[in-house]
């Protein structure tokens, strides 16, 4: 359900699989004498719901490495559990024993399927134990140079529908594309069934006008002047000059929909545990995570790999999640009409 | 390192002890990744990246490209000697393994190494000559052309069915049908998944092909207790003469080797086609253009040359969109792209305009690595081939373990073992009943590619997509391929 397919995520930057082994060894320490800390001497499994080498995987590995340093005596081992757009890994985290020894990361794009009721029994974002987030990444509407549309004003003046490539229905990019058009008020013709790379190529060939993607994945074609960033949802230093969708949403429903997109963009590189982790243990994890995200070694790793770091603690993330899931009935009904599963039930993996 | 022309870049590369050392380190590493079934280049790139991040951009890229370029050179070894090929290397199994069973493992490896080296050089040449044409080359292949290219490959099912056309078509159709398991690319609805989310992404090519080829052959070897080269007509000790015979086979079939090298490189240019497509399409092409197609599947050396040339040449092709557009041509290239970005290389035309030295250095790295890889593997092949003389009862458990490992590593999920187990029953039954299995592989590799591209084409143009110039050319090829095969069948009757 992610719009961050393994291939598109990976273009962000890479931190490799061997690092997990190195981390597992390097971070292995004897339990400090007299330590009453639950995590001392234990192994924490950090599940990544995507392939090794992707953007989620890269963040996971630098976070895991640093987290082990801030939970003295513990080891943090990263394990990839890709499949079904991240649902397999996410479900594994959701169903793990709530002892704090299984945590992980997945796309927050599951927000939309949860809102429309497509995740019945497989995942419940609200119930999960939120530990924090490392960064966020805006969603960008990019349009090919050949369209002649370089700004949001050009877009809103356009009378013909713009043709946008998206991932299949039910995935977060599919929902995000429809939400943005509805919120800002421009006409679109959606062509589903492309992954992000294929969508970019289709845009460059002129088969479609554009797509919604992350700035890091769009960077090469933007730098070459082959496409323009027309609208953004979310903030980052390198997209500050791009028009914000929130400024063009003129109705209450439009603003609510942009807020929904913004929530997805904000909670980008999250770390989460299953529902029911004892509060004291969750507090330890949250404190360690916050410390890890300020660790000079992590910041140096992130700078070397050109990964933006924009942390938020677990309590604040949990609050944002609750707020995002508190969407209006009208918005949810509108989203539900887009769901490919309408009435279909899938068993938990 | 300042260089301004191809030859200057070559000289600068060869006169840099650091770069030469990195190539010499990367090539055996890449070969080892290929020789160990199921590990593969993608995993190798991920493992290698931490060690190159402290290098400068050119040095890091040279190591990674050298390593990745020769993975399939090594990958042919288990395909030929043990009958277990993962991913793109599986196409080599169809004829390479029967050659090993016949006692011609040395010849098969010689042909494979020569074809791999040639393919690598052709891929590098395409990369070099395409620098000014890169955009045109990449943009002339849209969903309609991908759909029709996949259709051309699907028509090869008839060619690889051997004498049993009806059986081949049944098996091929089964492969096609199984490729449609998973989420519908246009509607997003799960199809034939029985409520299991692990099937949303499809069955997975790696376990499906392993079930068709590796498992049945391993069970047969284990049951017979005889060595793999049980039917060796000569002393099984590999002499350099046999390797040379295999290399000479490539010269004898030079036009096939060149055609499949070029075709593989062109397929590599198109993101989204997948690594297996080049190998199977080129294998099908080899069968269809052979004077005596009945030899294929029984140990025809052309069946080794075609996929191995394509496997290595496609890496050069896949570098094009990766370097010049920042759009990876394959999953391996997507990891390489991430590494290049981390090393400070910004993909795009500036790679040609501002880093012309880097572009040429990578071209030469591809050439040198492919030749060096073939030479290195040739030097140790005589020891590797001794596995064909190990009694089957001892060998089979190890081969099965590697097959399972390949499925686990290649798909990163234990659910693939379930797929492997179920499809292995089908594979064993087909093998015992003497039904052709190559059509199944073509079906399962190309079915999903064809379906996605067809959906995209219809969404964008409706039926008009068939009237695009590239589509018309490929449509003529599809019809020509069918007509050619039909004529051959009728003339036999």
């Amino acid at each position: 359900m992610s719009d961050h397919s393994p291939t598109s995520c990976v273009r962000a930057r890479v931190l490799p699989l061997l690092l997990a082994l190195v981390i597992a060894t390097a971070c292995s320490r004897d339990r400090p004498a007299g330590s009453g800390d639950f995590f001392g001497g234990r192994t924490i499994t950090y599940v990544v719901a995507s392939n090794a080498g992707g953007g989620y995987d890269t963040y996971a590995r630098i976070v895991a490495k640093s987290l082990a340093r801030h939970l003295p005596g513990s080891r943090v081992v990263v394990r990839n559990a890709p499949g079904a757009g991240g649902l397999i890994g996410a479900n594994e985290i959701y169903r793990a024993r709530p002892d704090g020894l299984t945590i992980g990361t997945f796309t927050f794009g599951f927000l939309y399927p949860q809102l429309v009721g497509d995740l019945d029994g497989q995942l419940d974002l609200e119930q999960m134990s939120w530990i924090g987030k490392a960064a966020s990444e805006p969603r960008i509407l990019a349009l090919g140079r050949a369209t002649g549309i370089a700004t949001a004003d050009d877009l809103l003046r356009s009378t013909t529908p713009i043709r946008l490539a998206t991932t299949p229905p039910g995935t977060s990019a599919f929902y995000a594309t429809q939400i943005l058009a509805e919120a800002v008020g421009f006409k679109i013709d959606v062509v589903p069934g492309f992954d992000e790379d294929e969508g970019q190529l289709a845009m460059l060939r002129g088969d479609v006008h554009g797509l919604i993607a992350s700035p890091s994945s769009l960077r090469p074609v933007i730098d070459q002047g082959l496409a323009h960033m027309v609208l953004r949802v979310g903030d980052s230093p390198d997209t500050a000059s791009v028009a914000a969708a929130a400024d063009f949403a003129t109705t209450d429903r439009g603003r609510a929909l942009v807020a929904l997109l913004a929530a997805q963009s904000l909670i980008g590189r999250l770390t989460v545990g299953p529902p029911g982790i004892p509060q004291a243990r969750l507090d330890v994890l949250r404190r360690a995570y916050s410390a890890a995200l300020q660790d000079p070694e992590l910041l140096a790793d992130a700078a070397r790999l050109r990964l933006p770091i924009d942390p938020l603690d677990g309590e604040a993330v949990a609050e944002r999640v609750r707020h995002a899931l508190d969407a209006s009935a009208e918005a949810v009904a509108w989203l539900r009409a887009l769901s490919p599963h309408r009435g279909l039930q899938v068993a938990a993996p | 390192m300042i260089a301004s022309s191809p030859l200057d870049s070559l000289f600068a590369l060869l006169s840099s002890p650091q770069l030469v050392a990195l190539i010499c380190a990367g090539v055996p590493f890449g070969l080892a990744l290929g020789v160990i079934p199921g590990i593969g280049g993608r995993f190798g790139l991920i493992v290698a990246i931490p060690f190159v991040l402290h290098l400068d951009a050119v040095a890091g890229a040279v190591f990674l490209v050298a390593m990745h370029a020769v993975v399939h050179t090594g990958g042919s070894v288990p395909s030929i000697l043990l009958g277990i090929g993962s991913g793109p290397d599986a196409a080599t199994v169809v004829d390479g393994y029967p050659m090993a069973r016949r006692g011609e493992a040395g010849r098969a490896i010689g042909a494979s190494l020569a074809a791999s080296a040639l393919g690598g050089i052709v891929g590098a040449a395409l990369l070099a000559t395409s620098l000014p044409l890169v955009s045109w080359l990449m943009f002339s292949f849209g969903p309609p052309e991908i759909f029709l290219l996949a259709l051309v490959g699907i028509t090869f099912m008839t060619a690889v069915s051997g004498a049993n056309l009806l059986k081949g078509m049944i098996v091929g159709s089964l492969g096609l049908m199984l490729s449609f398991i998973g989420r519908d690319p246009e509607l997003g609805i799960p199809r034939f998944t029985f409520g299991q989310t692990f099937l949303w992404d499809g069955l997975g090519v790696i376990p499906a092909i392993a079930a068709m080829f590796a498992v049945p052959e391993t069970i047969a070897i284990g049951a017979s207790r005889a060595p793999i080269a049980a039917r060796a007509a000569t002393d099984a000790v590999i002499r350099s003469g046999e390797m040379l015979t295999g290399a000479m086979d490539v010269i004898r079939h030079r036009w096939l080797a060149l055609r499949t090298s070029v075709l593989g490189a062109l397929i590599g240019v198109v993101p989204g086609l997948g690594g297996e497509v080049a190998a199977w399409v080129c294998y099908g092409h080899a069968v269809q253009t052979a004077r005596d197609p009945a030899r294929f599947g029984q140990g025809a050396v052309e069946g080794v040359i075609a996929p191995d040339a394509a496997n290595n040449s496609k890496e050069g092709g896949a570098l094009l969109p990766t370097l010049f557009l920042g759009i990876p041509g394959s999953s391996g290239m997507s990891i390489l792209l991430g590494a290049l970005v981390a090393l400070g290389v910004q993909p795009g035309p500036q790679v040609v305009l501002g880093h012309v030295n880097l572009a040429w250095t990578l071209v030469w790295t591809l050439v040198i690595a492919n030749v060096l890889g073939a030479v290195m593997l040739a030097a140790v092949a005589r020891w590797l081939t001794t596995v064909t003389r190990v009694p089957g009862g001892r060998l089979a458990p190890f081969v099965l373990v590697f097959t399972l490992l390949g499925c686990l590593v290649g798909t990163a999920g234990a659910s693939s073992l379930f797929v492997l187990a179920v499809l292995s029953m089908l594979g064993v039954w087909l093998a015992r009943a003497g039904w052709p299995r190559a059509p199944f592989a073509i079906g399962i590799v190309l079915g999903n590619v064809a379906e996605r591209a067809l959906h995209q084409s219809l969404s964008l143009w409706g039926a008009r997509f068939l009237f695009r110039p590239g589509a018309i050319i490929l449509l003529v090829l599809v019809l020509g391929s069918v007509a050619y095969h039909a004529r051959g069948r009728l003339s036999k009757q």
Side-chain angles (χ1 to χ4, degrees), chain A residues 10-11 14 16-18 51-52 82-84 88 122 163 168-169 191-193 198 201 204-205 207 220 224 304 306 340 344 347 349, chain B residues 42-43 46 49-51 53 139 141 143 185-187 189 195 197-198 201 271 326 328 334 344 346 348-349 412 452 456 460-461:
Chain A
V10 85
R11 66 170 67 241
V14 173
L17 191 61
L18 184 65
N51 277 309
I88 287 174
Q122 300 183 86
R163 180 177 271 191
V191 187
E198 289 173 335
L201 263 182
L204 298 179
R205 278 195 304 262
D207 297 345
Q224 293 168 57
R304 193 162 45 92
R306 303 178 189 201
L344 282 176
Chain B
R42 196 168 172 274
F43 178 83
I46 292 169
I49 285 165
F51 301 104
L53 281 179
F139 295 162
F141 242 81
E186 190 182 26
L187 303 174
I189 296 169
T197 40
F198 79 84
D201 298 327
S334 64
Q346 284 303 324
R452 279 168 55 87
Q456 292 168 357
L460 292 166
W461 294 282

Side-chain angles (χ1 to χ4, degrees), chain A:
Chain A
M1 304 247 175
S2 168
D3 54 342
H4 296 284
S5 67
T7 48
S8 60
C9 280
V10 85
R11 66 170 67 241
R13 296 110 183 95
V14 173
L15 192 68
L17 191 61
L18 184 65
L19 214 51
L21 305 175
V22 175
I23 291 162
T25 313
C27 299
S28 172
R29 302 185 186 121
D30 294 335
R31 187 173 175 174
S35 170
D37 179 10
F38 168 79
F39 294 100
R42 295 182 192 265
T43 299
I44 297 169
T45 302
Y46 194 109
V47 177
V48 182
S50 64
N51 277 309
Y56 283 90
D57 183 66
T58 309
Y59 272 97
R61 291 181 194 284
I62 64 168
V63 165
K65 180 180 167 187
S66 187
L67 194 60
R69 277 198 299 274
H70 293 276
L71 289 169
S74 71
R75 297 191 313 157
V76 183
V77 179
V78 175
R79 192 166 60 73
N80 296 85
L87 188 56
I88 287 174
N91 181 263
E92 190 173 319
I93 299 164
Y94 179 65
R95 295 190 175 281
R97 283 179 59 186
D99 54 9
L101 296 178
T102 304
I103 58 175
T105 188
F106 50 76
T107 170
F108 195 62
F110 287 124
L111 169 68
Y112 308 120
Q114 169 145 355
L115 282 171
V116 302
D118 284 344
L119 292 178
D120 191 32
Q122 300 183 86
L123 192 63
D124 185 343
L125 297 169
E126 192 166 9
Q127 298 303 316
M128 296 191 81
S129 306
W130 293 94
I131 294 163
K133 67 109 178 173
S136 50
E137 197 163 36
R139 312 304 297 150
I140 300 289
L141 171 66
L143 296 178
R145 188 177 52 189
T147 60
I149 299 173
T151 66
D153 291 324
D154 295 343
L155 174 68
L156 293 172
R157 274 197 298 269
S158 173
T159 52
T160 53
I162 58 164
R163 180 177 271 191
L164 299 179
T166 79
T167 45
T171 57
S172 71
F174 177 81
Y175 282 115
T177 302
Q178 312 256 13
I179 291 170
L180 186 66
E182 180 74 12
V184 176
F186 56 92
K187 292 189 176 68
I188 56 167
D189 177 9
V190 170
V191 187
F194 289 82
D195 69 25
E196 206 171 281
D197 294 325
E198 289 173 335
Q200 280 199 44
L201 263 182
M203 174 178 73
L204 298 179
R205 278 195 304 262
D207 297 345
V208 297
H209 296 133
L211 76 163
I212 285 184
S214 60
S216 58
S217 67
L218 289 166
R219 182 56 55 200
V221 295
I222 299 295
D223 287 348
Q224 293 168 57
L226 298 172
H228 302 290
M229 294 199 276
V230 174
L231 274 176
R232 73 175 156 87
V233 177
D235 299 305
S236 72
D238 58 339
T239 58
S241 59
V242 181
D247 296 340
F248 294 85
T250 52
T251 63
D252 286 346
R253 193 168 76 132
R255 281 187 283 272
L257 288 172
V258 169
L260 201 58
L261 274 181
Q264 189 217 328
S265 145
L266 178 82
I267 307 173
R269 310 296 186 183
L270 55 90
T271 295
V272 69
I277 294 179
Q279 190 60 47
R281 221 172 277 177
L282 180 60
D283 289 343
V284 171
L285 282 170
R286 284 175 171 178
R287 280 196 299 271
Y289 183 86
S290 293
L293 267 290
Q294 293 166 21
D295 189 315
E297 201 170 320
L298 178 142
L299 296 174
D301 279 344
R304 193 162 45 92
L305 293 162
R306 303 178 189 201
L307 301 175
I309 296 292
D310 170 28
L312 196 63
D313 66 74
E315 208 163 323
V317 171
E319 180 54 38
R320 306 279 176 119
V321 172
R322 279 192 292 274
H323 182 69
L325 289 170
D326 193 26
S328 69
E330 186 195 7
V332 170
W334 180 81
L335 277 175
R336 192 169 288 136
L338 302 174
S339 165
H341 297 279
R342 288 181 293 272
L344 282 176
Q345 290 301 318
V346 287

